[in-house]
């Protein structure tokens, strides 16, 4: 269960965050990098294999449907749901200020400089022990 800390209780929040601080070992970085590369190259098959390896669950489909997400959300504590919705709104508002527009300019005849920003098609989330990977369309 997640611990709730009031937004005005800075001392408790600071103590909680400091209690979680630890140094990541080089061995752990190597292991996680290996997992990330397996998923990058193997896609859904890698998710299937890793879920079987770590959670001992053999999934037919690693993608959680919208219906299943809604069903599980309905079971969640309403205060938790409200807190997550507020967090999502805060994250969205923050990142909307970072949206970049495409830019281009002609430096010389036939030489163009610029950039374009393309959104991600989907974002994958893996929660250890849950046995499901979630692919969220963006």
């Amino acid at each position: 269960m997640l611990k709730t800390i009031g937004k005005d209780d800075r001392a408790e929040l600071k103590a909680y965050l400091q209690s979680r601080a630890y140094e990541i070992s080089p061995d752990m970085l190597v292991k996680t990098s290996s997992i990330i590369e397996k998923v990058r190259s193997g896609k859904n098959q890698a998710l299937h294999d890793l879920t079987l390896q770590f959670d001992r669950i053999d999934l037919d489909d690693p993608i959680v449907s919208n219906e299943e997400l809604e069903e599980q959300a309905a079971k969640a504590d309403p205060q938790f749901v409200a807190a997550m919705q507020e967090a999502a709104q805060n994250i969205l508002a923050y990142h909307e200020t970072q949206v970049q527009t495409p830019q281009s300019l002609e430096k010389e005849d036939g030489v163009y400089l610029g950039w374009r920003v393309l959104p991600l098609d989907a974002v994958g989330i893996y929660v250890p022990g849950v046995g499901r990977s979630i692919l969220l369309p963006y």
Side-chain angles (χ1 to χ4, degrees):
M1 186 65 176
L2 294 175
K3 179 178 180 170
T4 303
I5 299 174
K7 63 182 177 183
D8 297 326
D9 194 344
R10 294 180 185 269
E12 186 177 359
L13 178 59
K14 182 178 180 181
Y16 173 72
L17 293 174
Q18 288 176 336
S19 74
R20 295 182 51 193
Y22 62 92
E23 188 172 322
I24 299 173
S25 72
D27 183 50
M28 184 62 69
L29 289 174
V30 169
K31 288 178 182 178
T32 54
S33 295
S34 170
I35 291 170
I36 290 168
E37 183 52 40
K38 285 178 184 176
V39 172
R40 181 178 288 130
S41 63
K43 310 276 189 256
N44 282 353
Q45 184 61 50
L47 290 175
H48 176 270
D49 296 346
L50 290 165
T51 301
L52 186 60
Q53 177 185 344
F54 292 121
D55 297 322
R56 297 180 184 88
I57 297 173
D58 190 3
L59 297 175
D60 293 331
D61 186 359
I63 299 174
V64 177
S65 69
N66 287 336
E67 293 79 22
E68 188 175 354
L69 284 173
E70 290 173 13
E71 179 184 318
Q72 295 303 317
K75 296 178 185 178
D77 177 342
Q79 283 185 299
F80 175 75
V81 172
M84 291 297 101
Q85 288 172 335
E86 182 179 354
Q89 290 170 354
N90 291 340
I91 293 166
L92 182 62
Y94 174 77
H95 287 291
E96 281 178 340
T97 66
Q98 298 175 322
V99 173
Q100 299 178 14
T101 56
Q103 300 290 325
S104 65
L105 61 103
E106 185 175 357
K107 182 166 174 23
E108 303 168 0
D109 289 337
V111 177
Y112 291 90
L113 303 171
W115 65 82
R116 64 184 189 158
V117 181
L118 302 174
L120 300 173
D121 291 328
V123 177
I125 300 171
Y126 174 73
V127 181
V130 174
R132 293 302 295 257
S133 300
I134 303 173
L135 185 64
L136 300 173
Y138 184 69

